Each structure stands twice: as structure tokens, then as C-alpha cells.
Amino acid sequence: ILNVEQSPQSLHVQEGDSTNFTCSFPSSNFYALHWYRWETAKSPEALFVMTLNGDEKKKGRISATLNTKEGYSYLYIKGSQPEDSATYLCAFMMGTSYDKVIFGPGTSLSVIP
Amino acid sequence: SQTIHQWPATLVQPVGSPLSLECTVEGTSNPNLYWYRQAAGRGLQLLFYSVGIGQISSEVPQNLSASRPQDRQFILSSKKLLLSDSGFYLCAWSEDRGTEAFFGQGTRLTVV
């Protein structure tokens, strides 16, 4: 059974704090790793699509790294703002199964003003 | 620009009743289409995906089915709903394998 795990399950930080969370996935048959942000009452929105070991991507205050050999990805948020409050999902895509995507359970982030 | 429409937004159905959720995509051709479900306290689970008209792949055995009668239309159905079918259903599309998915607004289904 393939498992994608995310930690922590939830996180409460003060505005201005930097934070990071982890996505763990199988280290074999890797094809891609996606990060999504899911705000309450909205649809999940893609943050990053990562495909190569060692990938580092950045969008504003948010960045992500990828280690496919050991099966993990980190998402970093620098200087958290209340609008960053959301659930952050990672999704692992296998190389052997066309379009098979396994989502992690998500990390719920609350940024306290 | 591409848009995705999913309806209805909320639905309350009795056990044993049929289900039909519809999703349409505009502004793109031959998208990959997906149905996901989020059960209470759990992550997103891929139910069905489709790479073309009439081509449906199921990830999880269940009493749900999906159809793709047109290139940009994806329908999730059930003949008889179970209590365990309650959850939040999301439709999504992507241009190609591995590319980011774009999600609809979701349907909150409550089976009573």
C-alpha cells in the first residue's frame, strides 16, 4: 500500500514567524511531487510541480525542496501572514501508473495575527 | 483562459437514492479529468480518472461510477447511495500527466 505522509498535522504560528512542514513519499518509481494550498471555502490551488531530485522552487515567500532518493519534500513559508492560513497538500505521482496521484492528508496552518 | 465548473455545490440525498454530479471544463481540449473524494478527517482520494472520451480508470472499488460522454464533461454517478458515500467531492483537470491539476469548487454530499 502506497502511503504519502505529511507532518505536522496542524500548526499554529504567529504572524511573522517562518515555518516549514514535510511530505514523505515512496522513494521508488517517482514521477512528480505537487504541492497545493487549500484555503477554506476555495478549491485547492497548485503551488509547485517538482520533478527532479534536488529541485528547489520558490514563489514569493514560499519555497519547496525535493529529495526523491530519500522520499521527502519540505515546504517553507518565510514571514507567515494571516492569508497563508490554509491546508497544504502534497501529492505524489508514480512513474509506473499513468496519472495515479496519491495525496497526503495535509498540514493545516493557522497564522495568528 | 481555462475554467472548470462543478455542480451542485451541496447535496443532501437519502440512502438508496441515485447520484449524478457533473463537471465541465472550458478553454482546453482533451484534458485529463479526475474525480476526488475527501471523507471526514482524511486526505483527498482519487476515485476516477479519464484521459479521453469514454476512457475511465477507477482507483478504488465502490458503488460509484464515472462517465465521460464528451471531451470536457465528466460525470460521477451512483445507482444507490450509501451512508459511507458522504463526503466532499472534487473534480479536477490537468493538461498532461504530471502537470498541475486545476480543481472545481467541490460538492458537499451528505447521505442521510
Side-chain angles (χ1 to χ4, degrees):
Chain A
I1 296 177
L2 297 170
N3 211 25
V4 177
E5 298 176 349
Q6 291 187 247
S7 62
Q9 183 177 358
S10 65
L11 199 54
H12 298 261
V13 302
Q14 291 291 135
E15 181 175 353
D17 287 351
S18 295
T19 186
N20 65 85
F21 18 95
T22 307
C23 172
S24 302
F25 51 85
S27 56
S28 59
N29 292 320
F30 177 87
Y31 185 79
L33 191 285
H34 299 184
W35 279 101
Y36 291 87
R37 175 169 57 201
W38 194 358
E39 296 179 65
T40 303
K42 294 186 178 181
S43 309
E45 188 178 280
L47 290 172
F48 303 112
V49 174
M50 310 182 81
T51 56
L52 297 175
N53 183 45
D55 256 357
E56 292 187 23
K57 298 214 171 179
K58 187 175 180 182
K59 185 183 289 188
R61 295 178 291 100
I62 304 177
S63 60
T65 60
L66 179 68
N67 184 323
T68 61
K69 295 186 186 306
E70 296 182 39
Y72 65 84
S73 175
Y74 294 139
L75 189 78
Y76 301 91
I77 302 179
K78 184 177 178 182
S80 301
Q81 300 296 309
E83 57 265 31
D84 296 327
S85 297
T87 296
Y88 290 81
L89 302 171
C90 67
F92 166 70
M93 182 169 289
M94 289 178 63
T96 56
S97 299
Y98 189 89
D99 280 338
K100 185 177 179 68
V101 180
I102 305 167
F103 275 82
T107 292
S108 175
L109 173 67
S110 295
V111 182
I112 305 162
Chain B
S1 63
Q2 302 90 354
T3 55
I4 178 169
H5 303 280
Q6 182 183 344
W7 67 94
T10 59
L11 194 58
V12 180
Q13 292 283 99
V15 168
S17 65
L19 172 75
S20 181
L21 302 181
E22 190 161 342
C23 173
T24 59
V25 180
E26 296 177 358
T28 187
S29 297
N30 197 33
N32 291 341
L33 296 172
Y34 310 84
W35 278 111
Y36 288 92
R37 174 173 63 196
Q38 183 187 38
R42 300 177 66 179
L44 288 177
Q45 180 185 42
L46 179 63
L47 300 176
F48 300 95
Y49 66 87
S50 171
V51 300
I53 295 175
Q55 299 178 62
I56 309 293
S57 295
S58 173
E59 289 298 308
V60 181
Q62 62 239 317
N63 69 320
L64 300 172
S65 61
S67 61
R68 184 170 178 172
Q70 300 180 46
D71 180 44
R72 290 168 289 177
Q73 184 185 28
F74 207 22
I75 298 172
L76 183 69
S77 304
S78 175
K79 291 183 179 177
K80 287 186 178 182
L81 284 168
L82 306 172
L83 286 174
S84 57
D85 292 324
S86 293
F88 190 66
Y89 290 81
L90 279 165
C91 179
W93 75 272
S94 68
E95 284 187 346
D96 202 352
R97 180 189 185 204
T99 58
E100 65 184 284
F102 298 90
F103 288 85
Q105 293 295 313
T107 297
R108 173 75 58 193
L109 171 66
T110 304
V111 182
V112 296

